[in-house]
Amino acid sequence: MNNLNLNSKKRAFYIFLIFALLLVALLGRCIWIQFVNGPELQIKAIEQQTKDKTINSKRGIIYDRNGKILAQSASVEMVSVSPREIAEADNADFVADTLSTVLEMDRESVYKKITKNSSYEIIKRRVEKEPADAIRSFMSFEDEDGHTTNKLKGVYLSEDTKRYYPYGKLASHVIGFVGTDNQGLNGVELSFDKYLKGLPGRIVTAKNAMGTDMPFKYEKYINPENGANLVLTIDETIQHFVEKNLEQAVADYKVQNGAACIIMEAKTGDILAMATYPSFDLNDPFTLNSAEKQTQMDALQGDEKTKFYNDELQKMWRNKAVVDTYEPGSTFKAITTAMALEENVVSINDAFHCTGAHVVGPHVIHCWKTGGHGAETFLQGVENSCNPVFMTVGARIGNSNFYKYYKAFGFAEKTGFDLPGEAVCAFHQMANFNEVELATCSFGQSFQITPLQLITAYSAIANGGTMVRPRIAKVLTDDDGNVIKTFESKNIRKVISEETAATTRQILESVVTNGTSKNAYIAGYRVAGKTGTSEKLPRGNGRYIASFAGFAPANDPEVIGLLLLDEPMGDTYMGGQIAAPTFKLIFEDTLRYLGIEPQYTEEELKTMDLPVPNVEGLSVADVSKAFENSGLRYQIVGDGEVIVSQIPKGGTALPASSTVVLYTRETDESDVVVPDVISSGVSEANRRITNAGLNLKISGNAEVKDGEAIVASQTPPPGTLVPKGTIVTVEFNYTNVH
């Protein structure tokens, strides 16, 4: 009996123990669910019980430095659906038919989305007002009996934004664009995306187990926060000057691999313009900008077509001024000049002799002028862009000092510029940087840099030896115009002394006035700079990059510019003949637009145009007195006693000794035809225009001599009918430049 009681007690104990352990386990599980898994389960519960829609924030506006809008967002709408609500309403076919028609989408793709086993699908984003209103009309459809019904149950319209670029192609490689999710994909849209995109809002509504709306109303609206507005350093007007002239140069010189140009404010590093040509339409960035490439793509199929398309898009979006590397050629001679002057291994008047070639170790390296330049000073050597002079000077600088300055001028590092994809450039390993490499580097070959690095290095010469960091963004502002953040301009480092910088500027100004950069000369503006013509690898393939880098005014630089034309295939390819005149056109417009006052030399003042006296209404007897000491001639047509008209009109500027035609009666004389003087020399152009009864005006350097230059352009164009005495303005390009 006692054993029975003992066994009963044991069983009871074990049962109690089991229940106790189960209770502890259950309690532990509850604690685990409540405190460990609680947050995750709470999120899942909310997801099951609510429907969450995202409201895109309005992306910040992008302005140029003067407040012109370069990019902005406008309110549009997004079409989304609840497939479960559509299934419950059994209206999938009608919804698919309606949405595919109104939104111009493939019906099958729409049908697949609206019949998915999900509670939320986006059909189309960035829907304009007209199609959105058409959809809305079906959502409150009034039948013949006046009853309003929702024929698109399960379809929703919500706020969305769409990016617009008012200037289309302008500054496309700088501004960039956004994707379908409003995310920046290129340019400053990508670099400053975290500031521009803002914070999205939300609409949270209750739903049942089927994923459809609850019979009671619960909705929470969280407002989106607009992105900050970005003010760039770009000047829309200067950007236009650059792009217009790049496009013309590419056409005129048959440039095969595109062109690039940077215009920078010398003292601050502000990028006033940056362009790569060809550009692309920011409002349609996924369409190829080349009809030829589009035709090639259309002929392909499958993966091959996809790869071709993606490769061509990447090429089209590539910012040549920042991403591409190239051999700078003779534009680098300005840097070698500054090195040599700083190290005091050369002076302006040091004597050299060029035979057309220079022996370096076992190699004979030629000058661009195969016959040689003969005896010349260092100044003349830079003016002539003489390779043997620079190889000699490079040897004086030495390998270690050359590499020291190469790094100091910023070529061994990125500039830190705020655009994506800046290239990292490679130089010779010091162990392999021998006398031959030093010789070729001294005149800008056998290494590669980016255009952005070179213009940054030129800023040290322009700024008294201090190099400035290039800057693309000025400030961020809110919608009320308050400044949120300022992007300060920064100095990088002191590279050379003020004295060296001043001497280098003086030399580079002389290169434009007297040397191979004469086609960049602008009367009154003291342009300084250097041309470059670098042969692309492999050598001997007939492919070149023509370039020019310079600044103005030379004595106190305000603006620096760099321009390159990649693979010109026209009649000439040399930087002095095609890059320099293109640079001149851009800088001429830019300097005048910026209000920089011209500084005319005595020689320029002597050749400046003279104002034409206004003699209309004067008697013939008084004409001679009006033209006395004017420096101009006149010719009277007709036998009347009073001047009734004149060509050119009073106040017009004419070169000295030009002829003004005066009429004493209304003339019925026929107009004269403007002769074609393109490619003519100075004397020939003057003879043909004068013989036609017209006046010749030379744009730019009026001291052009026969044999030095030919007419590159004329206005009015050949064949135009104009009155006798009309001014024909011609522009000469020097032909004896490199």
Side-chain angles (χ1 to χ4, degrees):
M1 186 71 179
N2 289 334
N3 287 337
L4 182 62
N5 289 336
L6 182 60
N7 289 334
S8 296
K9 288 179 180 179
K10 284 182 178 179
R11 281 197 301 271
F13 173 75
Y14 287 131
I15 292 170
F16 174 78
L17 183 61
I18 290 169
F19 275 105
L21 290 173
L22 288 172
L23 184 62
V24 170
L26 183 61
L27 182 62
R29 181 60 178 165
C30 289
I31 293 171
W32 180 268
I33 291 172
Q34 181 69 28
F35 295 103
V36 179
N37 285 350
E40 181 183 349
L41 294 173
Q42 187 178 26
I43 291 171
K44 289 183 177 180
I46 291 171
E47 288 177 349
Q48 289 178 347
Q49 298 163 17
T50 60
K51 186 162 56 179
D52 194 345
K53 297 179 188 175
T54 299
I55 307 170
N56 285 330
S57 56
K58 197 169 185 180
R59 199 169 175 86
I61 299 171
I62 299 176
Y63 297 97
D64 88 331
R65 67 192 294 115
N66 299 313
K68 296 179 181 177
I69 295 176
L70 302 177
Q72 63 182 332
S73 294
S75 294
V76 286
E77 298 190 57
M78 178 175 68
V79 179
S80 60
V81 297
S82 170
R84 290 175 185 168
E85 287 186 41
I86 291 172
E88 189 179 70
D90 194 24
N91 64 341
D93 285 323
F94 181 78
V95 170
D97 290 340
T98 303
L99 293 185
S100 61
T101 301
V102 174
L103 299 177
E104 298 180 350
M105 296 177 65
D106 177 62
R107 186 190 186 280
E108 185 179 350
S109 65
V110 173
Y111 188 81
K112 282 182 179 179
K113 282 192 173 185
I114 68 175
T115 54
K116 273 188 176 181
N117 183 24
S118 66
S119 60
Y120 179 72
E121 292 291 330
I122 295 174
I123 300 299
K124 190 171 184 179
R125 306 186 66 167
R126 301 176 181 177
V127 178
E128 300 286 353
K129 184 178 186 302
E130 186 175 343
D133 286 345
I135 292 171
R136 195 172 282 108
S137 68
F138 285 100
M139 297 168 72
S140 56
F141 184 79
E142 188 173 313
D143 60 23
E144 294 178 356
D145 299 326
H147 299 123
T148 301
T149 58
N150 182 1
K151 299 186 72 174
L152 294 178
K153 186 170 175 59
V155 178
Y156 295 92
L157 290 168
S158 55
E159 295 177 41
D160 201 359
T161 60
K162 182 176 180 179
R163 203 65 162 162
Y164 290 96
Y165 302 92
Y167 292 97
K169 294 182 178 181
L170 188 88
S172 55
H173 294 88
V174 173
I175 299 170
F177 51 90
V178 298
T180 55
D181 58 355
N182 215 29
Q183 188 85 4
L185 295 182
N186 205 351
V188 295
E189 291 276 32
L190 173 59
S191 299
F192 295 88
D193 186 65
K194 65 180 180 180
Y195 302 113
L196 290 165
K197 66 183 179 182
L199 294 173
R202 297 166 65 196
I203 300 176
V204 182
T205 56
K207 67 178 181 178
N208 59 26
M210 294 294 294
T212 59
D213 287 346
M214 297 287 282
F216 59 88
K217 188 72 174 175
Y218 168 78
E219 183 172 280
K220 184 176 182 181
Y221 187 96
I222 302 171
N223 285 317
E225 292 183 20
N226 291 343
N229 302 318
L230 176 64
V231 180
L232 299 180
T233 60
I234 293 291
D235 188 303
E236 179 271 329
T237 302
I238 299 175
Q239 184 75 25
H240 172 73
F241 294 155
V242 168
E243 295 192 13
K244 174 188 68 174
N245 286 291
L246 273 191
E247 181 178 7
Q248 190 64 51
V250 167
D252 289 347
Y253 307 123
K254 299 179 175 59
V255 179
Q256 301 300 301
N257 200 34
C261 181
I262 308 172
I263 305 295
M264 184 168 81
E265 201 169 65
K267 294 178 173 61
T268 64
D270 282 4
I271 301 298
L272 301 176
M274 175 181 281
T276 294
Y277 186 86
S279 54
F280 60 93
D281 188 353
L282 289 173
N283 292 306
D284 190 16
F286 293 94
T287 296
L288 298 183
N289 59 1
S290 166
E292 180 184 353
K293 296 295 183 184
Q294 185 67 45
T295 302
Q296 291 178 29
M297 185 182 74
D298 292 341
L300 302 174
Q301 298 292 330
D303 292 342
E304 191 179 6
K305 182 175 184 177
T306 301
K307 183 179 185 306
F308 181 90
Y309 174 64
N310 290 332
D311 288 347
E312 290 303 319
L313 277 183
Q314 293 303 319
K315 291 177 187 176
M316 184 176 78
W317 297 337
R318 192 177 181 90
N319 187 343
K320 200 174 186 70
V322 177
V323 176
D324 283 9
T325 61
Y326 75 115
E327 286 187 340
S330 294
T331 54
F332 193 82
K333 289 173 180 173
I335 307 301
T336 305
T337 297
M339 295 181 190
L341 292 171
E342 184 71 8
E343 285 298 305
N344 200 29
V345 297
V346 74
S347 66
I348 286 182
N349 296 316
D350 277 5
F352 295 85
H353 192 274
C354 171
T355 62
H358 188 69
V359 177
V360 183
H363 299 277
V364 177
I365 303 175
H366 293 276
C367 184
W368 68 269
K369 188 175 183 180
T370 54
H373 292 101
E376 54 189 342
T377 64
F378 178 64
L379 173 61
Q380 291 169 330
V382 184
E383 291 175 350
N384 295 329
S385 197
C386 180
N387 289 347
V389 167
F390 278 90
M391 286 186 273
T392 303
V393 170
R396 293 182 188 177
I397 296 170
N399 298 67
S400 59
N401 272 336
F402 189 96
Y403 186 64
K404 178 185 75 174
Y405 283 105
Y406 179 88
K407 291 177 65 177
F409 274 106
F411 297 113
E413 62 188 5
K414 293 182 180 181
T415 66
F417 190 55
D418 285 319
L419 280 183
E422 184 177 359
V424 178
C425 303
F427 192 68
H428 302 280
Q429 294 293 324
M430 282 306 295
N432 301 320
F433 187 42
N434 300 315
E435 59 177 341
V436 174
E437 289 74 26
L438 176 60
T440 55
C441 286
S442 68
F443 58 83
Q445 290 194 5
S446 79
F447 66 94
Q448 296 204 339
I449 59 175
T450 67
L452 187 64
Q453 284 178 316
L454 185 59
I455 198 171
T456 302
Y458 264 64
S459 73
I461 298 171
N463 284 319
T466 300
M467 196 161 60
V468 296
R469 189 178 304 283
R471 180 175 70 150
I472 195 66
K474 289 172 71 72
V475 296
L476 292 170
T477 66
D478 61 20
D479 288 338
D480 296 322
N482 301 310
V483 174
I484 302 170
K485 181 179 177 65
T486 300
F487 301 96
E488 301 287 352
S489 59
K490 296 178 181 178
N491 293 336
I492 299 176
R493 67 181 73 89
K494 186 83 169 177
V495 182
I496 52 178
S497 68
E498 290 189 19
E499 182 182 3
T500 295
T503 304
T504 306
R505 292 197 301 270
Q506 175 189 341
I507 292 172
L508 294 178
E509 183 180 11
S510 186
V511 173
V512 173
T513 306
N514 306 309
T516 56
S517 299
K518 285 186 284 190
N519 284 328
Y521 174 87
I522 304 171
Y525 281 107
R526 301 192 60 180
V527 178
K530 188 72 191 69
T531 57
T533 308
S534 54
E535 186 177 15
K536 299 178 74 171
L537 297 173
R539 307 295 187 204
N541 62 13
R543 297 184 299 135
Y544 296 85
I545 293 178
S547 60
F548 183 89
F551 44 81
N555 58 320
D556 185 19
E558 296 284 345
V559 189
I560 312 173
L562 182 148
L563 178 143
L564 62 88
L565 304 172
D566 194 348
E567 296 185 20
M569 295 296 177
D571 295 333
T572 182
Y573 59 85
M574 290 184 285
Q577 294 178 333
I578 65 176
T582 305
F583 179 93
K584 171 190 175 176
L585 294 173
I586 293 170
F587 248 46
E588 201 165 22
D589 287 339
T590 299
L591 294 170
R592 290 190 177 125
Y593 166 74
L594 292 175
I596 297 173
E597 292 294 326
Q599 306 169 44
Y600 294 104
T601 63
E602 289 185 14
E603 291 76 13
E604 288 170 339
L605 288 171
K606 290 175 184 176
T607 59
M608 285 184 66
D609 295 338
L610 303 170
V612 174
N614 183 6
V615 296
E616 290 183 3
L618 293 184
S619 66
V620 171
D622 292 332
V623 166
S624 60
K625 185 176 181 181
F627 272 84
E628 188 178 358
N629 299 322
S630 70
L632 300 171
R633 301 170 182 160
Y634 64 90
Q635 175 189 353
I636 297 176
V637 177
D639 53 8
E641 296 182 356
V642 176
I643 306 299
V644 297
S645 64
Q646 66 180 80
I647 297 176
K649 293 292 185 182
T652 305
L654 270 182
S657 300
S658 295
T659 302
V660 181
V661 182
L662 310 176
Y663 296 92
T664 61
R665 54 179 169 75
E666 293 299 329
T667 179
D668 56 1
E669 285 190 19
S670 59
D671 292 339
V672 298
V673 178
V674 176
D676 184 355
V677 295
I678 300 292
S679 299
S680 300
V682 180
S683 297
E684 177 66 12
N686 185 54
R687 182 185 65 78
R688 297 191 65 192
I689 289 173
T690 303
N691 287 349
L694 303 171
N695 285 302
L696 173 69
K697 180 178 180 181
I698 298 175
S699 175
N701 192 343
E703 294 295 306
V704 182
K705 296 179 176 62
D706 268 328
E708 292 184 335
I710 58 174
V711 176
S713 64
Q714 67 175 85
T715 307
T720 307
L721 289 174
V722 296
K724 193 174 182 181
T726 296
I727 301 168
V728 178
T729 303
V730 300
E731 182 153 1
F732 285 91
N733 273 358
Y734 288 88
T735 55
N736 58 340
V737 292
H738 177 62

